[in-house]
């Protein structure tokens, strides 16, 4: 696999291709694929080839950003205190340079008015990445608040490095914080690729459109899903397999889904949602509420409430 650039594909091959039994039919397969791609099932806007962001390159950018934000955790494991600022400067410059290229591809691919003029697209990409860079201290502050919430909320946690390096919830939240900042700056495809990188690593799926307050903690985390229009307050704790999803989808007069409508829950401050709970629709879970494990919830919950499953009754009881 290449990193997404078709020009990187080798023009010559080595290996025993000519002798394979499928080789004689390969030309016809390639022809039919071209017909599907270019004519019958062409899904490109206005039929044009676009320079898309690379998922691999975006994942590498995130690794460098993490190292710049937390150099002793995600960067050099044996840092020299005298050169940490130099390390951060170099690493951050490298990350932002790579990010600019991916944001530029995002801008060019997202255009609906033909290929944008390259100088205009480059200026927009530079402006987005400059604004993003200015938010990095704030992003780091938020991630530290999430880290402290994890340490305070998990009796098994023995140190901050353990959480930073070994907790999938922390990995997912770090990716989310970076993706959210880019999403708000309209680099939406790059933001989604960052979220997907976290999903692949952790099995935690947080849409960058979701708004999440500080001191957010996901314990264990596998199977957590947070939808695009969810709003989560401060000091909220989720456990594994929690879904904050949509209950229904608005459609237009032609039966097509209406994009961007508020359809996910609002979770107020200091809420705890235990493992396996499913919270659906644009409902509000009031502050300091506790939602028990495996609850199916589609109605508002008042503040300071506790919601659990109905007690099971057996026949003849």
């Amino acid at each position: 696999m290449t990193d997404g650039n078709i020009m990187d594909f080798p023009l010559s091959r080595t290996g025993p291709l000519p002798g394979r039994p499928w080789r004689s039919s390969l030309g016809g397969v390639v022809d039919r694929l071209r017909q599907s791609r270019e004519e019958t099932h062409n899904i490109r806007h206005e039929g044009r080839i676009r320079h898309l962001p690379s998922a691999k390159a975006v994942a590498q950018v995130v690794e460098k950003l993490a190292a710049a934000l937390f150099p002793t955790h995600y960067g050099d494991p044996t840092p020299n205190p005298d050169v940490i600022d130099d390390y951060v400067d170099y690493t951050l410059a490298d990350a932002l340079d790579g990010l600019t290229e991916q944001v530029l591809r995002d801008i060019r691919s997202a255009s609906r008015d033909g290929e944008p003029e390259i100088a205009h697209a480059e200026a927009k990409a530079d402006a987005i990445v400059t604004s993003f860079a200015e938010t990095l201290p704030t992003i780091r502050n938020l991630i530290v608040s999430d880290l402290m919430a994890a340490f305070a909320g998990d009796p098994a946690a023995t140190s901050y490095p353990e959480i930073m390096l070994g907790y999938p919830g922390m990995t997912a939240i770090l990716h989310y914080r970076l993706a959210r900042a880019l999403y708000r700056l309209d680099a939406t495809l790059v933001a989604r690729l960052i979220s997907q990188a976290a999903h692949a690593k952790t099995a935690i799926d947080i849409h960058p459109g979701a708004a999440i307050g500080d001191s957010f903690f996901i314990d264990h985390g596998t199977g957590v899903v947070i939808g695009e229009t969810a709003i989560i307050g401060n000091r909220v704790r989720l456990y594994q397999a929690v879904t904050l999803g949509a209950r229904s989808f608005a459609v237009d007069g032609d039966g097509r889904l209406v994009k961007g409508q508020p359809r996910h829950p609002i979770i107020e401050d200091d809420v705890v949602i235990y493992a396996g709970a499913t919270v659906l629709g644009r409902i509000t879970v009031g502050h300091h509420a506790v939602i028990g494990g495996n609850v199916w919830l589609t109605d508002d919950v008042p503040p300071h409430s506790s919601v659990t499953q109905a007690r099971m009754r057996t026949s003849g009881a």
Side-chain angles (χ1 to χ4, degrees):
M1 293 289 291
T2 70
D3 70 352
N5 186 348
I6 197 169
M7 298 306 293
D8 293 336
F9 187 80
L11 296 180
S12 61
R13 285 186 179 271
T14 58
L17 282 178
R20 296 297 184 186
W22 43 261
R23 189 66 182 90
S24 60
S25 64
L26 193 58
V29 172
V30 171
D31 288 342
R32 295 200 306 274
L33 286 174
R34 181 178 64 251
Q35 182 179 11
S36 175
R37 187 177 64 246
E38 302 294 341
E39 299 174 20
T40 314
H41 306 112
N42 188 336
I43 60 172
R44 303 177 193 137
H45 178 66
E46 296 181 345
R48 61 187 174 88
I49 294 177
R50 295 175 289 177
H51 301 274
L52 298 171
S54 159
K56 180 179 177 181
V58 168
Q60 290 170 343
V61 166
V62 172
E63 289 182 1
K64 294 170 186 176
L65 289 171
L69 292 175
F70 298 96
T72 61
H73 291 86
Y74 300 125
D76 187 343
T78 56
N80 181 342
D82 297 331
V83 297
I84 283 183
D85 281 348
D86 293 334
Y87 172 82
V88 170
D89 184 276
Y90 175 85
T91 304
L92 188 55
D94 192 25
L96 295 177
D97 188 53
L99 180 61
T100 302
E101 170 62 24
Q102 299 310 309
V103 171
L104 176 60
R105 288 170 172 250
D106 191 341
I107 293 167
R108 296 179 70 185
S109 68
S111 172
R112 290 291 180 266
D113 300 317
E115 187 74 16
E117 201 272 324
I118 186 63
H120 174 74
E122 287 177 344
K124 185 176 179 180
D126 284 337
I128 288 173
V129 174
T130 299
S131 296
F132 172 76
E134 291 293 331
T135 69
L136 286 173
T138 299
I139 291 172
R140 190 183 190 280
N141 292 346
L142 283 169
I143 295 170
V144 170
S145 79
D146 303 324
L147 172 65
M148 296 174 70
F151 186 80
D154 185 2
T158 61
S159 68
Y160 290 149
E162 178 188 9
I163 297 167
M164 295 287 283
L165 299 174
Y167 276 43
M170 198 71 229
T171 298
I173 291 170
L174 185 149
H175 279 70
Y176 161 77
R177 297 293 186 195
L178 295 170
R180 173 66 175 166
L182 287 165
Y183 189 87
R184 295 183 70 185
L185 291 167
D186 208 27
T188 53
L189 181 50
V190 170
R192 287 289 276 159
L193 292 178
I194 293 173
S195 294
Q196 182 52 34
H199 188 193
K201 286 183 176 182
T202 67
I204 297 169
D205 185 1
I206 309 176
H207 194 289
I212 302 177
D214 62 32
S215 304
F216 182 50
F217 177 36
I218 303 175
D219 200 357
H220 303 294
T222 303
V224 166
V225 176
I226 301 174
E228 175 193 13
T229 64
I231 299 174
I232 299 176
N234 301 319
R235 300 173 301 280
V236 170
R237 187 192 322 167
L238 306 183
Y239 287 81
Q240 67 271 22
V242 166
T243 296
L244 304 181
R247 184 179 181 184
S248 60
F249 306 97
V251 296
D252 63 19
D254 296 322
R256 293 178 296 222
L257 291 179
V258 178
K259 307 289 185 176
Q261 294 294 306
R263 60 194 183 279
H264 299 100
I266 298 171
I267 310 298
E268 294 186 345
D269 296 347
D270 300 291
V271 169
V272 179
I273 306 179
Y274 283 99
T278 299
V279 186
L280 300 181
R282 194 58 161 189
I283 64 173
T284 298
V285 177
H287 59 85
H288 296 88
V290 176
I291 310 301
N294 296 314
V295 164
W296 180 277
L297 187 62
T298 57
D299 295 306
D300 290 342
V301 174
H304 296 281
S305 297
S306 178
V307 180
T308 60
Q309 293 189 79
R311 184 167 304 191
M312 182 180 295
R313 296 189 175 208
T314 59
S315 177

